[in-house]
Amino acid sequence: MSDLKAIDRQYVANTYARFPVELVSGKGSLVYDETGKEYIDMGSGIGVTAFGLADEIWKQAVTEQLGKLQHMSNLYYTEPCARLAQLLCQRTGMKKVFFCNSGAEANECIIKAARKYAAEKKGPEHTTIVTLENSFHGRTLTTLAATGQDHYHELFQPLTPGFVHAPAGDLEALKAIALENKAAGVLIECIQGEGGVNCLSGDFIRGVEAFCKAEDILFMVDEVQTGNGRTGKLYAYQNFGVEPDLVSTAKGLGGGLPLGAALLGEKAEFVLGSGDHGSTFGGNPVCCAGAISVLERLDEDFLAEVQRKGALARAALEGAEGIEAVTGLGLMIGIKPAHKAAGDVVKACIEDGVLCLTAKDKIRLLPALNIPEELLLKAIEVVKAHCA
Ligand SMILES: *Cc1c(COP(=O)(O)O)cnc(C)c1O
């Protein structure tokens, strides 16, 4: 083991089962380890580096801002924060944005907004947030409570109360659970990412929206992983013709710098008032400058390319030997191997210079949205070879 790996193992908390690879630099969708070995990056830092590594346009936006003002408190106005909020609202029809630093924090914010809306509108007993079984919403004690996977909960009790889980895809069960528990909001991922790249059906998503509107329960969508162009639309919910009241996002938004956002729709526009929420680093000008450059490039032509490349990848994978199922949307791709464990396939791919992710029993691909077609198909051939 190299010195660095030994130091990391000794001093960094053991929360991550790292692969035995030390990465030192990258360009676009290629990344290099300390020996100079090249890898195709099919994970992009778990869907974070939307335009790949060391992208020139992103780098310029970030470094320009870095030279002007790297941080200022939220007591003052700064341009990147205001402009990014404007851009997000213009592109989604949402009304206001709260900035934070991560997906979990974005979810914390929309949970607070839903609770306050319901407390004021319907009474203080309307506090419950309904989420789905097999969901993932983050690692804080509140977002863990929201996460519908028991194995994350063990030994961390008590979690924040006020969360119940409904079976994904069963609309009638969800309605009953929401009414019985006096729900303030229903929070879903349109595609469950960590849960195994499982797409919810459009009928279910639209059914949840209609039910929430009818009952004045806030319809909340977690777009932390699916957002910012990943599925071939700016936000995944836009594939289904729904309009959430609250949206959380992070991961790809900053293009590689920590940035989360909670988008508040018309109902919740004025719910959070002065002093109701805050974040020291939230809306950091450098992160926001990077995010503006990301969002500005995610225009209709570019998103159509994401859809096209996603379809190309799917066509190459579907029906291939050793592949049981291909799931997801756009460049969010789940691959269920027929005979092998996903983790073993990912390890074998690393040997062959391809970095992939797993999600439950699937291999998960979240390449940079601008990955060149040749690299995408080359990486997919390696994955296919190790599934066969
Ligand atoms: C990654 C993820 C989160 C948590 O984001 P962090 O930035 O790690 O806090 C929340 N929800 C979903 C759907 C995610 O994929």
Side-chain angles (χ1 to χ4, degrees), residues 187-203:
L187 172 61
I188 65 166
E189 301 156 89
C190 294
I191 304 169
Q192 297 186 325
E194 308 298 317
V197 198
N198 304 319
C199 294
L200 301 184
S201 77
D203 284 345

Side-chain angles (χ1 to χ4, degrees), residues 102-104 107 136-138 189 194 222 224-225 251:
S102 67
N107 281 329
F136 183 85
H137 298 295
E189 301 156 89
E194 308 298 317
D222 180 337
V224 174
Q225 190 163 152
K251 288 198 168 93

Side-chain angles (χ1 to χ4, degrees), residues 134-173:
N134 198 45
S135 59
F136 183 85
H137 298 295
R139 303 288 200 152
T140 63
L141 286 169
T142 294
T143 56
L144 269 186
T147 292
Q149 302 187 53
D150 288 343
H151 70 98
Y152 286 113
H153 298 169
E154 284 156 22
L155 304 180
F156 297 111
Q157 301 291 334
L159 302 177
T160 306
F163 291 87
V164 292
H165 310 300
D170 186 342
L171 185 60
E172 292 313 312

Side-chain angles (χ1 to χ4, degrees), residues 247-297:
V247 173
S248 57
T249 191
K251 288 198 168 93
L253 179 62
L257 286 173
L259 182 64
L263 314 187
L264 314 173
E266 207 167 332
K267 277 189 178 178
E269 178 174 1
F270 299 106
V271 163
L272 295 176
S274 177
D276 276 341
H277 202 40
S279 164
T280 299
F281 288 117
N284 172 276
V286 179
C287 300
C288 287
I292 290 170
S293 93
V294 168
L295 277 189
E296 281 179 341
R297 292 161 83 184

Side-chain angles (χ1 to χ4, degrees), residues 93-104:
M94 301 297 279
K95 300 296 182 194
K96 284 201 168 36
V97 183
F98 177 86
F99 289 113
C100 51
N101 317 287
S102 67

